[in-house]
């Protein structure tokens, strides 16, 4: 049976909206059938109407939520007279079971724009729950632990490599310390880095020798058009110590200075904090004069290779890649390179006196000796013999040039293959050499500054084959201004002279006699020993090789290279150096 819902009579209000204000306006014939006790609240058109009744909300939850909300007095609020649950008993024809399958009121929240002024700047918006992915956090923690473990292993391996290399390369001192020697001073390198001393411009006392012009065509050499390194067997090279120099003896007799040395010895002292290998310098105090000498067969006559590198070199001395073999090879390359890059047309620039160490008729290498004097103190002067290898004409004026060569023996030790990287990444090659040969490059720069050279040329020379240490090729030549290059490698001239001044002041306080300044083989420090007057006289004569190690004729299947990689010209290399 379908019930009929009867709607009562609704009174008409001719004066405005809503029911009439008084019951008198209702016609007497009209009978009102509205539900009793229905309140009415006045409203205006500007107000927004809320819900009159929510059929989906329970009465208890409505009361509980209403008690916690403040009163607003608006329709639809908790305290509004329209906020109530409809009593279904008032509608006897309605079946409650018919409305259980659907909702009359949509309770989903109104969708809000994700971005907008109300969303971004509403201070009372609900706090969104923060997503915490435990798996991602666990992965981050594991990655951090793995990174820390790798760093720990890397530092451990690096320290082990350093220790292994130091023991292999410089564990032995450059000079045998005798038990009767008396150690006087022990100076750590940390004190050298704080020293500073400024000197005035030097004074040229004498120029000796003759120079050939530099061949500018070598500046255009690339790895694609490399040149074979030539051998200059007929040219004589001289490595004369201070006291054996006749010019220095003459200047000492004329009281031109108090301290005498060579540029090689001064550069060794100036760059001492960068050194790793052991070296020694003989100091002789004669009257009020001080002479810095080197021993016969001293390590100062050779050039170190990979001295400041982290890669350990082979320990066996007869290995072609050992520290000693590479030093001999580097000295041989440096001498031949300095003579090959010259214009050999007979034109030379001669100076006041000829080469003081050459005999008549000897063919000498292109070299000039500049005997220069610096003022160290009020009445203390230093005279040093400085070398330049060439001259170049710039703006109709001759400029002095120093020539040195960097050598590559095996790309796996340096990690940079010059044949592939030198043309496109020359800066990376130079940076690698500055890391592996910091002391050698600093000493070359110091020598160029001492000689007041206008230009220093660096050649890149590599082996034809990694196992052939006698045949080489030139891959490129680069020029630098010495003072600009010194600032690039962080070489401070004031600190260089501060080291020399401190050592000179220390040695001037010693009594007359002979002393030796030794760099400790395992610690960054130098020691001064008092030695007998006849020390280093006949103790360092090179012994002949055993019969089984004598030079053998080369095999037919290799040009001067034996099966084990060694060459038959080792004695020739050592003879030239």
């Amino acid at each position: 049976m379908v019930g009929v819902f009867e709607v009562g009579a609704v009174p008409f209000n001719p004066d405005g909206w809503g029911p009439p204000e008084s019951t008198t306006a209702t016609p007497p014939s009209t009978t009102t059938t509205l539900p009793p006790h229905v309140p009415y609240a006045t409203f205006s058109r500007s107000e927004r109407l809320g819900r009159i009744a929510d059929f989906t909300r329970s009465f208890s939850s409505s009361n509980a939520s209403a008690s916690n909300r403040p009163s607003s007095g608006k329709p639809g609020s908790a305290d509004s007279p329209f906020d109530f649950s409809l009593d279904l008993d008032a509608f006897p024809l309605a079946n409650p079971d018919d409305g259980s399958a659907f909702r009359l009121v949509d309770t989903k929240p109104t969708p809000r724009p994700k971005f907008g002024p109300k969303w971004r700047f509403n201070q009372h918006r609900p706090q969104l729950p923060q997503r915490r992915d435990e798996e991602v956090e666990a992965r981050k923690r594991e990655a951090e632990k793995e990174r820390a473990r790798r760093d720990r292993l890397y530092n451990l391996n690096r320290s082990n490599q350093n220790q292994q290399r130091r023991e292999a390369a410089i564990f032995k001192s450059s000079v045998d310390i005798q038990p009767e020697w008396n150690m006087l001073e022990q100076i750590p390198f940390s004190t050298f880095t704080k020293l500073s001393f400024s000197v005035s411009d030097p004074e040229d006392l004498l120029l000796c020798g003759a120079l050939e012009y530099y061949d500018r065509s070598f500046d255009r050499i690339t790895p694609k058009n490399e040149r074979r390194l030539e051998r200059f067997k007929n040219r004589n090279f001289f490595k004369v110590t201070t006291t054996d120099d006749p010019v220095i003896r003459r200047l000492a007799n004329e009281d031109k200075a108090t301290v005498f040395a060579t540029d090689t010895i001064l550069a060794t002292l100036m760059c001492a904090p960068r050194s790793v290998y052991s070296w020694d310098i003989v100091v002789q105090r004669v009257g009020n004069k001080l002479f810095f000498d080197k021993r016969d067969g001293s390590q100062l006559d050779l050039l170190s290779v990979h001295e400041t590198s982290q890669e350990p070199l082979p320990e066996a001395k007869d290995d072609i890649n050992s520290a000693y073999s590479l030093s001999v090879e580097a000295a041989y390359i440096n001498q031949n390179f300095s003579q090959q890059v010259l214009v050999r047309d007979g034109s030379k620039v001669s100076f006041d006196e000829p080469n003081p160490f050459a005999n008549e008729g000897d063919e000498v290498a292109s070299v000039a000796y500049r005997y220069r004097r610096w003022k160290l103190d009020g009445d203390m002067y230093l005279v040093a013999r400085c070398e330049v290898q060439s001259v170049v004409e710039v703006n109709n004026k001759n400029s002095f040039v120093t020539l040195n060569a960097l050598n590559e023996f095996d790309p796996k030790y340096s990690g940079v293959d010059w044949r592939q990287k030198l043309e496109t990444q020359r800066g990376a090659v130079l940076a690698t050499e500055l890391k592996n040969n910091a002391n050698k490059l600093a000493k070359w720069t110091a020598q160029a500054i001492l000689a007041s050279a206008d230009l220093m040329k660096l050649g890149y020379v590599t082996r034809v084959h990694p196992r052939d240490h006698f045949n080489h090729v030139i891959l490129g030549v680069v020029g630098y201004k010495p003072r600009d290059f010194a600032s690039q490698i962080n070489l401070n001239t004031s600190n260089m002279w501060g080291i020399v001044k401190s050592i000179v002041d220390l040695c001037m306080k010693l009594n007359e006699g002979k002393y030796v300044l030794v760099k400790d083989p395992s610690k960054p420090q130098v020691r001064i020993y008092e030695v007998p007057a006849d020390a280093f006289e006949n103790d360092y004569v090179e012994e002949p090789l055993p019969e089984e190690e004598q030079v053998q004729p080369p095999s037919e299947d290799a040009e001067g290279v034996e099966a084990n990689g060694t060459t038959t010209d080792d004695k020739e290399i050592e003879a030239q150096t």
Side-chain angles (χ1 to χ4, degrees):
M1 177 180 179
V2 180
V4 179
F5 183 77
E6 296 180 359
V7 180
V10 179
F12 175 72
N13 184 5
D15 298 332
W17 294 88
E21 295 181 358
S22 61
T23 56
T24 57
T26 304
S29 61
T30 304
T31 58
T32 301
T33 60
L34 293 176
H37 309 294
V38 177
Y40 172 74
T42 59
F43 65 95
S44 63
R45 296 184 181 182
S46 61
E47 293 181 351
R48 299 180 61 185
L49 293 176
R51 300 170 183 166
I52 296 179
D54 190 353
F55 296 96
T56 62
R57 187 173 56 182
S58 63
F59 182 76
S60 58
S61 60
S62 171
N63 292 339
S65 59
S67 62
N68 296 330
R69 289 197 301 266
S71 175
S72 60
K74 293 183 179 181
S77 63
D79 297 336
S80 174
F82 289 95
D83 191 8
F84 66 95
S85 296
L86 186 63
D87 188 5
L88 297 181
D89 296 337
F91 302 93
L93 299 179
N95 188 4
D97 296 337
D98 296 338
S100 59
F102 63 92
R103 293 182 178 182
L104 298 179
V105 180
D106 188 8
T107 58
K108 291 190 297 184
T110 306
R112 295 185 182 183
K114 190 171 184 180
F115 303 101
K118 290 185 179 180
W119 177 264
R120 291 173 57 190
F121 302 106
N122 187 10
Q123 300 294 331
H124 302 286
R125 66 180 184 271
Q127 186 69 25
L128 296 178
Q130 301 241 347
R131 181 174 178 266
R132 183 179 180 86
D133 195 339
E134 296 295 339
E135 186 178 355
V136 173
E137 293 295 330
R139 259 196 244 108
K140 288 183 179 180
R141 288 193 297 268
E142 291 297 330
E144 193 68 28
K145 291 181 182 178
E146 182 66 19
R147 192 180 303 111
R149 187 184 67 85
R150 285 199 306 266
D151 293 343
R152 193 164 54 250
L153 291 177
Y154 172 78
N155 295 330
L156 182 61
N157 293 335
R158 187 175 180 181
S159 62
N160 291 339
Q161 287 181 1
N162 280 340
Q163 184 178 3
Q164 180 183 0
R165 179 183 178 277
R166 289 178 179 272
E167 291 179 357
I170 63 167
F171 179 76
K172 185 179 179 181
S173 176
S174 62
V175 60
D176 294 333
I177 307 298
Q178 302 298 325
E180 62 270 13
W181 293 1
N182 182 24
M183 189 183 70
L184 302 179
E185 292 289 342
Q186 186 169 298
I187 310 171
F189 284 164
S190 58
T191 60
F192 286 163
T193 58
K194 306 174 184 177
L195 300 175
S196 179
F197 183 75
S198 299
V199 295
S200 57
D201 294 335
E203 173 189 1
D204 281 334
L205 300 180
L206 190 65
L207 273 79
C208 303
L211 292 176
E212 298 179 11
Y213 285 92
Y214 173 73
D215 189 355
R216 295 179 182 271
S217 64
F218 281 87
D219 293 336
R220 297 187 293 271
I221 292 181
T222 61
K224 295 181 181 179
N225 60 344
E226 60 189 28
R227 292 196 190 181
R228 194 69 173 255
L229 183 67
E230 301 178 10
R231 308 177 187 178
F232 294 85
K233 302 178 181 179
N234 298 327
R235 293 199 173 190
N236 296 322
F237 301 87
F238 303 98
K239 300 292 182 181
V240 182
T241 186
T242 306
T243 52
D244 293 341
D245 190 336
V247 178
I248 288 184
R249 289 186 177 183
R250 186 175 67 192
L251 296 176
N253 293 331
E254 297 174 359
D255 290 333
K256 293 292 185 180
T258 307
V259 185
F260 299 88
T262 64
D263 58 346
T264 304
I265 295 175
L266 287 182
T268 302
L269 294 176
M270 290 176 171
C271 305
R274 300 175 184 240
S275 62
V276 178
Y277 293 165
S278 179
W279 47 263
D280 59 274
I281 296 174
V282 179
V283 182
Q284 297 191 61
R285 176 75 187 275
V286 181
N288 65 334
K289 293 181 174 57
L290 201 63
F291 296 88
F292 290 92
D293 282 304
K294 64 178 181 63
R295 298 181 294 103
D296 292 337
S298 173
Q299 201 71 16
L300 300 182
D301 292 335
L302 304 178
L303 298 176
S304 63
V305 179
H306 271 224
E307 181 177 358
T308 56
S309 172
Q310 301 297 336
E311 289 293 331
L313 296 177
E315 298 183 13
K317 189 175 181 180
D318 56 349
D319 193 304
I320 64 172
N321 291 335
S322 65
Y324 176 77
S325 300
L326 291 175
S327 297
V328 175
E329 180 184 356
Y332 159 78
I333 292 174
N334 197 70
Q335 290 180 356
N336 288 281
F337 171 81
S338 66
Q339 304 306 305
Q340 183 175 350
V341 296
L342 305 176
V343 179
R344 298 188 293 274
D345 58 356
S347 60
K348 295 183 179 181
V349 179
S350 301
F351 298 101
D352 304 336
E353 296 184 7
N355 194 312
F357 315 119
N359 299 323
E360 292 185 8
D362 291 346
E363 184 181 358
V364 297
S366 172
V367 63
Y369 301 103
R370 304 184 71 178
Y371 293 88
R372 323 192 76 194
R373 182 171 66 176
W374 289 267
K375 185 176 182 180
L376 296 183
D377 211 341
D379 55 350
M380 183 185 298
Y381 290 86
L382 181 144
V383 168
R385 184 190 71 220
C386 306
E387 297 183 14
V388 290
Q389 288 78 32
S390 180
V391 66
V392 63
E393 186 176 351
V394 179
N395 298 329
N396 297 325
K397 183 180 178 182
N398 291 332
S399 301
F400 291 115
V401 181
T402 60
L403 303 173
N404 299 103
L406 296 166
N407 63 304
E408 180 191 40
F409 58 97
D410 198 339
K412 72 178 183 179
Y413 282 93
S414 60
V416 179
D417 191 351
W418 288 5
R419 298 179 188 271
Q420 299 178 0
K421 302 293 185 180
L422 191 58
E423 191 171 4
T424 59
Q425 300 181 12
R426 182 169 292 178
V429 175
L430 180 60
T432 304
E433 289 301 304
L434 288 173
K435 180 185 69 172
N436 297 333
N437 299 284
N439 186 36
K440 179 170 64 175
L441 285 167
K443 289 168 66 174
W444 286 346
T445 308
Q447 290 176 348
I449 293 175
L450 290 174
S452 294
D454 302 286
L455 196 64
M456 55 181 295
K457 293 286 185 178
L458 293 180
Y460 293 90
V461 181
T462 185
R463 294 176 179 176
V464 175
H465 188 272
R467 298 303 301 173
D468 180 6
H469 70 303
F470 194 71
N471 298 304
H472 303 83
V473 291
I474 303 174
L475 300 180
V477 181
V478 186
Y480 301 95
K481 292 184 177 180
R483 294 196 175 272
D484 295 343
F485 191 73
S487 61
Q488 182 178 349
I489 64 176
N490 197 21
L491 187 64
N492 190 350
T493 55
S494 298
N495 178 251
M496 290 161 41
W497 281 108
I499 296 174
V500 173
K501 181 68 166 54
S502 64
I503 293 179
V504 168
D505 292 342
L506 180 62
C507 295
M508 290 300 292
K509 299 178 183 178
L510 303 175
N511 300 324
E512 290 191 37
K514 183 180 287 188
Y515 306 88
V516 61
L517 189 69
V518 183
K519 193 270 178 185
D520 192 281
S522 58
K523 297 179 181 179
Q525 64 183 9
V526 292
R527 296 174 178 174
I528 299 180
Y529 293 91
E530 184 179 5
V531 298
D534 58 348
F536 318 123
E537 295 289 339
N538 301 314
D539 296 340
Y540 296 92
V541 179
E542 185 177 357
E543 298 180 358
L545 293 175
E547 184 177 356
E548 61 272 10
E549 298 183 13
Q550 294 292 335
V551 176
Q552 301 294 332
S555 58
E556 297 181 357
D557 57 346
E559 297 180 0
V561 182
E562 297 179 358
N564 59 356
T566 59
T567 68
T568 60
D569 297 306
D570 292 343
K571 294 293 291 181
E572 184 180 352
I573 294 178
E574 297 187 10
Q576 291 194 27
T577 56

